Amino acid sequence: PAPDGKLPDGKLPDGKLPDVKMPDGKTPTMPPKPTMPPKIYNKETKIKWLEKSGFSMTVECLIAGTWVGMVASMPLIVLCFEGKHITKSQIVNFVIMWIVLVIGVWLFNKKIIFDSYHFEVQRSLTLTECVYLMSQIITTVGYGDITPATTVGQVFVAIYVIIALLIIANVVSEVVDQVSSRAATYAKELENAVAVVAGSTPTVFSRNNSPRPQEVVKVEENAAQLSSELNRINSWVAKEPPPVSIKPFLASLGVYGFFCFVGTIFFVNYPGEDKTVLQGLYMSVITLSTVGFGAVTPVTEGGKVFAAFWMLFGSAALVGVVGNFSALCAMLRQRDEWDPQEGVREEKEAVAKLPEEISKYDFLIFALVQRKLLSRENVDVLEHSFYNMLSGADETIRKEKAREFLNSAEN
């Protein structure tokens, strides 16, 4: 110890620091511990991506080729599953999509410089990053974790986004067609409800015919069928329109939920992603709803590859949910607006307008119009065309003029 009893480190022999008095006689106190900044939610942004992918070039090319082929071929695959005929224009669209996607991958990989908080320096993208970014563009997710660094790159990406919107518009048009088709089919069922029930009424309930013994026996032998007919008649009397099925909507919602579940499981358990269950669920819903806030994003090579394909399938599932929900709403609206008496009133009005004596021609026109096989406007057009082609006083036309009219109608 020093002469003052202190050790070389300034402490007293008992290990305590000597008392220090301030000029004002107060004992100094330790400064408060600095408060730590709040935990950053997007903690994975600290991870840096290497300029070269962790996959070999062969694997990267396989991933990019599979992604491009799947995106370009998806419309044709859907048509094949639905059993529809592939037109020449659809084949042209398929070829154009191939060219656009391949050129996009080449420019992203070789020419355009990008920036990201995951990058050490501004650079072009690896093939894995190319399909990852292009999936964000096509699905409109747009995390914002990779952006063009130059003005030229920004202009090209803007043009590419417009092209992607055109691709999306093509898909949306198909969905609109399906919604319109389902709504039109249900409307046709509503129109035919009267005829279907009336045409199935058993003869034993006719006012003009009394049941004969053999008919009674036949009805008793077919009790199940008679019960079914009675139910249909009671349904008509109760004015209940055909039911609306919600199974397509529930099925599409289940598919969307499945992809959200798969995304959550992957990003929670894949090594290097290190996301909690809530983060994985949040990321899945925000991504597959195409909102794409970007607070939680993939940070590993495997995560980017998975996300490139997962975003496409999940967004397609979302389109199915929206389409089926729109169709369901349209059919429910038609069901609420359905008036079973309207058709009866229209038939009564049409019959009232008929003369007492009806010719064969008038009967045919009346039947075709009432059965919705021909509109009144089309009848007027045909009659006008016929009178313009009259060649004699006997109200007949020559066969050549009829052929010319049919050929002009087809063209």
Side-chain angles (χ1 to χ4, degrees):
D4 57 358
K6 297 180 180 179
L7 298 175
D9 58 359
K11 294 183 180 180
L12 297 174
D14 57 1
K16 298 181 179 179
L17 292 173
D19 293 334
V20 179
K21 298 293 183 179
M22 301 296 290
D24 56 359
K26 296 181 179 180
T27 303
T29 58
M30 296 294 293
K33 293 183 179 180
T35 57
M36 299 297 293
K39 184 179 179 181
I40 300 176
Y41 183 72
N42 193 17
K43 64 178 182 179
E44 61 269 23
T45 56
K46 298 179 181 179
I47 297 177
K48 297 298 180 182
W49 295 342
L50 301 177
E51 294 188 26
K52 292 186 178 181
S53 173
F55 299 120
S56 64
M57 181 57 65
T58 303
V59 174
E60 277 200 296
C61 290
L62 182 61
I63 292 171
T66 303
W67 185 88
V68 170
M70 184 188 68
V71 174
S73 305
M74 192 174 293
L76 297 182
I77 294 174
V78 172
L79 291 174
C80 291
F81 274 112
E82 293 180 351
K84 296 182 179 179
H85 178 67
I86 299 176
T87 62
K88 191 177 297 183
S89 61
Q90 290 169 335
I91 295 177
V92 172
N93 289 336
F94 166 75
V95 175
I96 292 176
M97 287 181 64
W98 260 98
I99 295 173
V100 170
L101 293 173
V102 170
I103 292 176
V105 171
W106 178 74
L107 289 175
F108 286 6
N109 181 247
K110 299 294 184 182
K111 299 298 181 180
I112 300 178
I113 303 300
F114 289 88
D115 193 13
S116 172
Y117 46 72
H118 291 295
F119 293 173
E120 294 288 352
V121 294
Q122 296 178 350
R123 59 176 176 81
S124 296
L125 304 181
T126 64
L127 290 177
T128 301
E129 293 166 346
C130 285
V131 296
Y132 170 66
L133 177 60
M134 292 173 72
S135 287
Q136 295 186 45
I137 294 174
I138 290 178
T139 60
T140 69
V141 170
Y143 284 139
D145 52 351
I146 301 177
T147 55
T150 63
T151 304
V152 175
Q154 292 169 351
V155 171
F156 175 80
V157 172
I159 296 173
Y160 205 84
V161 168
I162 295 175
I163 297 174
L165 291 178
L166 295 177
I167 296 175
I168 295 170
N170 186 29
V171 176
V172 171
S173 66
E174 293 290 336
V175 175
V176 171
D177 289 341
Q178 291 183 3
V179 172
S180 302
S181 176
R182 290 181 60 188
T185 302
Y186 186 73
K188 189 67 175 178
E189 291 179 4
L190 293 176
E191 291 179 1
N192 296 336
V194 178
V196 169
V197 177
S200 62
T201 304
T203 57
V204 293
F205 289 93
S206 175
R207 291 183 178 180
N208 300 326
N209 297 324
S210 59
R212 294 187 295 271
Q214 60 269 27
E215 292 179 341
V216 175
V217 173
K218 185 176 181 180
V219 170
E220 291 176 351
E221 292 177 353
N222 298 277
Q225 181 179 358
L226 178 60
S227 176
S228 176
E229 298 294 343
L230 286 173
N231 290 335
R232 297 179 68 180
I233 295 172
N234 292 333
S235 175
W236 167 243
V237 173
K239 301 178 182 178
E240 294 180 1
V244 177
S245 176
I246 63 172
K247 290 182 180 180
F249 170 68
L250 295 179
S252 60
L253 191 63
V255 173
Y256 178 77
F258 169 76
F259 282 110
C260 288
F261 174 77
V262 169
T264 302
I265 295 299
F266 177 87
F267 287 107
V268 169
N269 294 281
Y270 189 79
E273 290 294 341
D274 298 330
K275 293 175 175 57
T276 64
V277 174
L278 291 180
Q279 287 177 337
L281 180 61
Y282 171 80
M283 175 185 173
S284 297
V285 174
I286 294 300
T287 299
L288 299 188
S289 62
T290 71
V291 174
F293 287 137
V296 186
T297 59
V299 296
T300 62
E301 289 292 297
K304 287 182 286 185
V305 173
F306 173 82
F309 292 89
W310 172 65
M311 281 188 281
L312 292 175
F313 288 109
S315 299
L318 176 66
V319 172
V321 172
V322 174
N324 285 307
F325 181 74
S326 300
L328 178 63
C329 291
M331 290 188 290
L332 289 175
R333 184 171 60 253
Q334 290 176 337
R335 191 176 191 271
D336 293 337
E337 295 175 353
W338 182 59
D339 182 7
Q341 296 298 327
E342 182 178 358
V344 177
R345 289 194 297 268
E346 290 179 354
E347 288 185 2
K348 289 181 178 179
E349 292 174 359
V351 172
K353 293 178 181 179
L354 291 175
E356 292 298 329
E357 300 291 336
I358 305 174
S359 65
K360 180 179 179 180
Y361 170 78
D362 292 332
F363 171 76
L364 290 174
I365 297 300
F366 173 77
L368 290 173
V369 172
Q370 289 305 119
R371 293 178 180 272
K372 310 295 185 183
L373 299 176
L374 192 65
S375 67
R376 187 70 246 183
E377 292 77 11
N378 289 336
V379 172
D380 295 337
V381 170
L382 291 173
E383 287 184 339
H384 180 73
S385 301
F386 178 82
Y387 286 120
N388 286 338
M389 293 185 292
L390 281 177
S391 58
D394 58 349
E395 294 191 354
T396 59
I397 62 173
R398 299 183 63 83
K399 182 170 64 175
E400 290 75 12
K401 289 187 176 182
R403 184 184 295 110
E404 290 176 1
F405 172 76
L406 293 176
N407 291 336
S408 63
E410 291 177 356
N411 298 330

